[in-house]
Structure formats: structure tokens, C-alpha cells
Amino acid sequence: MMERTLLRGSSLTLLVLSAFSALPGSAEAQAEEPLLTRAERTEWRETTRYDEVMDLVRQMVAGRPDMHLTTMGYTFEGRPIPLVVVGRVADGSPEAVRSSEKTRVYLQGGIHAGEIAGKEALLILLREMAQGMHSQWADSLVLLVAPLYNADGNERVSLLNRPRQNGPVGGMGQRPNAQDLDLNRDHLKLDAPESRALAKMFKEYDPHVAVDLHTTNGTRHGYHLTYAPPLHPATPAAVDALLRDRLLPAITQAVREKHGWEMYHFGDVRPARGDAEAGWYTFDHRGRYSNNYAGLRNRFGILGEAFAYATFEERTRISYWFVEEIVRFTHGHATEIARASAGADGQSLVGESLAVRSAFRGSSEPVTILMGEVAEELNPYSGRMMLRRTDVVAPQRMREFVSFQATETERVPPAYFLPAALGDLRIRLESHGVRTLVLEEARTQEVEEFVVDSVTTSGREYQGHFEQDVTGAYRTVTRTLEAGTVVIPMDQPLARVVFTLLEPRSDDGFAAWGFLSGSLRAGEPYPVLRGSPGSPPRLSLPPVPAGS
Ligand SMILES: [Zn+2]
């Protein structure tokens, strides 16, 4: 049906309407003024603004008992971040969603607000669900849809943002939030209100699958969309295997068969340099990125990057199909996915070795990568040249580097001890949902203490921080832990997040971000200690307000 419609469609608007809603029931909806996005209304010259997103989702959920509009938190400028809950739940609250015992899928658009095809695709998906399509998904799933995450960035439209991207020619929002922070570097350190809102959403709604939609920045490859599972080597093996070996190949094949477009692991072609050989390289394993963060939470994080030089309409379409196939696969494997997450949550990591530093792992054999070509195309409104993909596809053989391996590991301790003076770090840990306890009275015990050998501080500020690299070694000593010391037991589901944030050598921890710069000196101990949480534990939870 799809192909026939595409061939027949002569006007862009008609093409779009039929591409996304050519199913029973939609004709009637179209006749009575469908809930079109600004992109559709302007023939893809413009992108949907925050107020329009809010108007659309309000209209979509009106009168639908299976769709609930709520807010996951606030942007820096105080805009409520919309979250649409779709499924057989009484309301949009975390309690209602979690008590449904369905598998939960979080879909996010617009974290980088110049990369906005995901926002348009999710609005179209929501509209279809409001029209009664995809109703079978509710059998096993609840969808949590956040079409516009970086709402402040979305409103800073300029025709000069992302000038080489193929539209929207009427401009698009900016990459960072209103504080000039890149939200896709903030998932662990949580400097931005948007990141704290997202961590709160993870903590309260606890999605099993989390999809984050972007647009590429560089390589002229032959794919319409590239993707990445969690890349950190500490990702639970069950999550890694299900995504890499099954979900991603299945959705790639489905999109190829139904629509004829190619998708593959995200990458850039890098020339040989020093010890590193030429090949297809993905980006970064660290937990600051959304997909990697979800993996460290034992969840199925998936990054999608629509190709920047496909048209805005094509990018929206491939983002839509990508999401549609992920949800379809998850619907068919809902119990297995929920069980894999729960299995990783229940498995203690104490005594195991996890990566604190990592490097690319190359494939054993060369693979075929589809390279492409682009042509210049004028944006008549900005007067600048954009790029447009052509249909040239040039297969090339090369090794790929789409996963990571540990280059340095550390053993997971039974617990960490955080001095009371580092209360800000406790708040950041708890914002992720980490369980902490407070020592009621002082006690003396054997602990592991990391003695610092050297501290190197970056000369350049990055994301509001001067990054640091700490070397040193653990030694076993007897120390008195003062009353008020925060104890973080590691037999908890977020052990990977805690380990990554608190290990001194971790490449994405508090020390790496410079949070501990005031207390790190050569020859002196790192302020966070490790050891047994105590048995019987003389611990108490912080006081709970009466009636809660
Ligand atoms: Zn991006």
C-alpha cells in the first residue's frame, strides 16, 4: 500500500498524509481537519514549535481513555516537558503505569533541538494512536512519549543552525539547552533541569526500552538512519545480546523489506592514524550519552540518527519507521525484555570487575559499509548551501569498531562511603534513583582508600567543567566513619551507575568531571572510601515525613 501511494503522490502534502495515515479510519479523520504538524502544514519548510506541540498533544489525548498527557519535569526556562502516556492505564501517573505490569517503552525527540525529525515523527505516531491505529500494542506495552525534550532549545530557531543539514529551510532550534549545556553529555552528572527530569522519569516510570532520536552530523554514508545500542562494556550481557543480535537486525530487515531504505550501526569513516587503523567507528561508550546511560541502568537504550542530508521529510519518515519497528519488536518480545531488565537488576556485581576506561573493539573481519554521495542544494532563504543525499550507494569493505572493551577495570566493592560534606553528590546519586543510607553514629572499620598519585586538570572548560584525570592506588586501612557518612550499598539495581560515578579512575565519574577538584591532591586520599556496609548494619534511613 505504501509503495503505491508513494508512486502516485504528486503533491508533497498528499504524499505525507498518505504515507503516515493511509490506514482504515484515517480518511474520516483527514476530512475533519487532521492534527497536522507544522512541518506537514508548511510542506516541510518549518518545524513544530513548543506551543504547537502542546496544542497538538492536548487535542490528541482529549476524549481518549488510553492516552494521558502529563509532564516529566521542567526546562531551565520553566517549560513543562510533555510526556504522553499511551496504554491501558487509569491515568498518566508513574504508579498507574507501573502497576499495569506492562513493558514500558520511552520514546524521545528533540534532545538536540536542531535535530528535530524525531519530534515530528513522534507527533505523527501519537496522532495515529489518537486515531485508533496501533491499538494492539497496548496488549503488552505502555508507551511513554516525549516528543520535545529540549523545549527551550527548540524555540531558539535560526536559519543558521545546522546550515549543511537538508532543512527545514525555515530554520530549526539549537543543540544545547538554555544554559548552553549539551543534554546528551549530562545524563550522569545531571547539571541541567532537563537531565534531572529525565532521571526522575527513569526512576519513577522505569522504562525497559528508551529510544533517543537524533540527526547525524558528518559522514556521507549510504544509510537513511544509523543506530547504537548501549556502548559501555559494563552494559548487562543480556541487554547487549538482545539488541545487537536480534532487535537491531530484525528492525533493519523490516525497514529494508517494507520501505527499501538501509539502516546500520552509527559510524564515521576514520582514516588510519597512528596505531589506529582505518575503519567504521561509532562514537563513545561513556554514560553521559543517553543510550549508554540506559544500558548502565540495565535498560535497553537505543540511539537513532536520521541522515542529515536526507530531506526533512525523509528524515521524519525514517525516524518514524525506526520507532515503529522497535515498538513492534518490543510488543512481540515484551515479557522477555522485561525479564532481562529485572534479571540484571537482581544480579549483584559485588566482587566483579567492571570497566573504568575503555577503547574501541574492532570486528574480527572486514564488513560491508554503504558509503554515499551528496550534492549541494541552495537554501533560498538563508542563501547558504545545504547538502542533499543522492541515490549513489558505494559499498566498501572495512573493519568496523561499533563496540568497546575495557582497557582498565576495577573491582566492585560491597559499599561506598561518602563523607557528609559531599552532600551535593548524594543528591545527584539519589536523583538517579540510587538507594543511600546514613550512618547514625561513628564507627571504626577496615576500608579501602584510594591514595592519589597525580591529578591532571584540563586547560579547557567543557560543559561548565574542568575535567580531571586522577591516578593512584587502593590500600586497605582502618578508618573512623563519622556519623552522617552516606553509605551506598552496591547490592542494588543501579550499581553500574554508582560505580561509574564514584570510582576515582572512572572516565565519566564525579572525579573526571572535576566535582572533587577541591579535595584531590597528590599523596592524599580520595574522599570516597569503599568497604563492607557493616553487619549487623548500624544504619538508618533518612527520616520519612509522617503520613507518606
Ligand atoms: Zn544529536
Side-chain angles (χ1 to χ4, degrees):
M1 175 194 283
M2 191 61 228
E3 270 178 25
R4 233 181 45 225
T5 317
L6 283 174
L7 290 172
R8 224 180 33 220
S10 52
S11 115
L12 253 180
T13 311
L14 187 109
L15 185 112
V16 165
L17 283 174
S18 42
F20 290 114
S21 42
L23 279 177
S26 61
E28 194 183 320
Q30 282 175 35
E32 54 179 54
E33 187 70 17
L35 299 162
L36 294 183
T37 66
R38 183 164 178 161
E40 293 166 308
R41 285 191 285 106
T42 62
E43 296 186 341
W44 304 93
R45 289 189 307 275
E46 299 171 19
T47 185
T48 309
R49 304 298 169 88
Y50 176 77
D51 287 343
E52 296 167 324
V53 169
M54 296 307 291
D55 280 350
L56 283 170
V57 293
R58 271 188 213 106
Q59 290 178 65
M60 287 171 191
V61 305
R64 289 217 56 114
D66 56 347
M67 293 179 80
H68 309 277
L69 174 60
T70 183
T71 298
M72 59 190 253
Y74 298 90
T75 66
F76 184 71
E77 293 182 334
R79 291 186 175 89
I81 303 171
L83 182 70
V84 185
V85 176
V86 188
R88 290 187 203 134
V89 290
D91 56 56
S93 68
E95 296 72 27
V97 169
R98 291 183 69 163
S99 69
S100 76
E101 296 189 354
K102 305 280 191 211
T103 299
R104 302 172 288 270
V105 182
Y106 175 70
L107 305 172
Q108 176 179 283
I111 185 170
H112 291 148
E115 307 170 13
I116 28 57
K119 170 186 62 188
E120 307 295 344
L122 292 177
L123 288 171
I124 291 167
L125 184 69
L126 283 169
R127 177 178 68 213
E128 292 182 346
M129 292 192 286
Q131 292 168 346
M133 289 170 60
H134 313 298
S135 57
Q136 73 284 6
W137 288 346
D139 299 344
S140 60
L141 305 178
V142 175
L143 301 189
L144 308 162
V145 187
L148 180 50
Y149 175 57
N150 179 7
D152 295 350
N154 187 71
E155 299 306 282
R156 286 163 163 73
V157 171
S158 165
L159 269 70
L160 300 185
N161 286 341
R162 296 178 66 80
R164 305 288 268 180
Q165 177 171 295
N166 200 282
V169 293
M172 63 205 88
Q174 69 176 25
R175 182 181 183 87
N177 79 344
Q179 295 165 282
D180 207 28
L181 290 174
D182 187 333
L183 299 177
N184 204 27
R185 304 293 181 273
D186 197 37
H187 290 297
L188 279 176
K189 63 183 168 65
L190 302 181
D191 282 338
E194 292 88 347
S195 313
R196 287 192 285 275
L198 183 60
K200 189 168 181 287
M201 189 285 301
F202 264 106
K203 175 176 162 180
E204 295 177 349
Y205 288 91
D206 192 17
H208 300 92
V209 178
V211 182
D212 182 26
L213 297 168
H214 293 248
T215 302
T216 60
N217 286 327
T219 290
R220 297 163 187 193
H221 57 59
Y223 303 103
H224 274 84
L225 183 142
T226 43
Y227 45 63
L231 298 170
H232 199 290
T235 305
V239 170
D240 186 69
L242 194 146
L243 284 173
R244 285 181 190 269
D245 302 342
R246 295 169 55 203
L247 183 147
L248 293 172
I251 68 166
T252 303
Q253 189 183 346
V255 168
R256 181 188 299 130
E257 283 172 2
K258 291 178 192 171
H259 313 295
W261 285 358
E262 292 292 337
M263 308 195 297
Y264 195 58
H265 282 276
F266 178 86
D268 287 305
V269 174
R270 290 196 193 170
R273 197 170 47 198
D275 285 348
E277 69 178 281
W280 181 251
Y281 285 82
T282 188
F283 59 107
D284 197 309
H285 63 283
R286 288 174 293 180
R288 62 189 63 182
Y289 296 88
S290 63
N291 52 317
N292 304 334
Y293 173 64
L296 292 176
R297 294 189 68 107
N298 309 334
R299 297 296 178 262
F300 292 80
I302 308 173
L303 176 95
E305 299 256 358
F307 185 47
Y309 311 130
T311 65
F312 182 29
E313 183 197 346
E314 290 167 343
R315 298 199 306 272
T316 302
R317 210 181 276 190
I318 191 65
S319 300
Y320 173 95
W321 288 331
F322 175 66
V323 165
E324 181 186 36
E325 294 303 334
I326 290 171
V327 176
R328 190 168 281 161
F329 184 96
T330 308
H331 172 245
H333 300 80
T335 307
E336 186 184 357
I337 284 171
R339 279 195 190 139
S341 302
D345 284 356
Q347 195 178 21
S348 174
L349 298 174
V350 174
E352 285 190 28
S353 288
L354 291 187
V356 287
R357 308 262 158 161
S358 306
F360 285 108
R361 181 171 59 196
S363 57
S364 49
E365 299 293 329
V367 299
T368 299
I369 298 294
L370 303 181
M371 298 308 295
E373 288 184 9
V374 296
E376 287 197 325
E377 187 173 290
L378 183 72
N379 177 341
Y381 307 105
S382 70
R384 307 265 181 115
M385 285 295 176
M386 314 180 293
L387 298 178
R388 168 86 175 97
R389 75 178 291 282
T390 69
D391 285 330
V392 173
V393 174
Q396 285 184 21
R397 299 285 288 171
M398 62 185 89
R399 280 180 79 201
E400 66 179 1
F401 298 81
V402 297
S403 62
F404 286 81
Q405 59 197 354
T407 53
E408 187 179 326
T409 62
E410 186 50 65
R411 194 170 32 81
V412 179
Y416 287 96
F417 303 108
L418 194 68
L422 297 177
D424 172 56
L425 302 191
R426 179 191 180 187
I427 290 169
R428 287 174 200 261
L429 286 164
E430 289 178 347
S431 297
H432 288 285
V434 170
R435 188 165 54 89
T436 68
L437 304 153
V438 176
L439 218 52
E440 242 177 6
E441 45 191 68
R443 75 167 190 232
T444 301
Q445 72 170 71
E446 203 169 77
V447 294
E448 288 179 305
E449 180 180 77
F450 185 88
V451 182
V452 174
D453 280 341
S454 70
V455 185
T456 312
T457 306
S458 168
R460 190 175 67 94
E461 193 174 7
Y462 175 69
Q463 299 292 313
H465 293 262
F466 288 93
E467 293 170 285
Q468 294 197 307
D469 184 359
V470 186
T471 65
Y474 279 106
R475 67 178 178 194
T476 302
V477 291
T478 299
R479 290 276 180 262
T480 297
L481 303 171
E482 300 299 335
T485 297
V486 179
V487 182
I488 303 129
M490 289 297 276
D491 57 346
Q492 61 172 305
L494 291 180
R496 289 173 169 86
V497 171
V498 177
F499 176 89
T500 305
L501 283 169
L502 290 182
E503 271 307 317
R505 290 283 298 149
S506 163
D507 54 12
D508 213 358
F510 290 131
W513 279 109
F515 281 93
L516 295 166
S517 58
S519 50
L520 297 180
R521 268 171 291 277
E524 293 188 16
Y526 178 77
V528 181
L529 303 172
R530 344 187 315 168
S532 163
S535 177
R538 277 184 291 170
L539 306 169
S540 72
L541 284 164
V544 177
S548 75

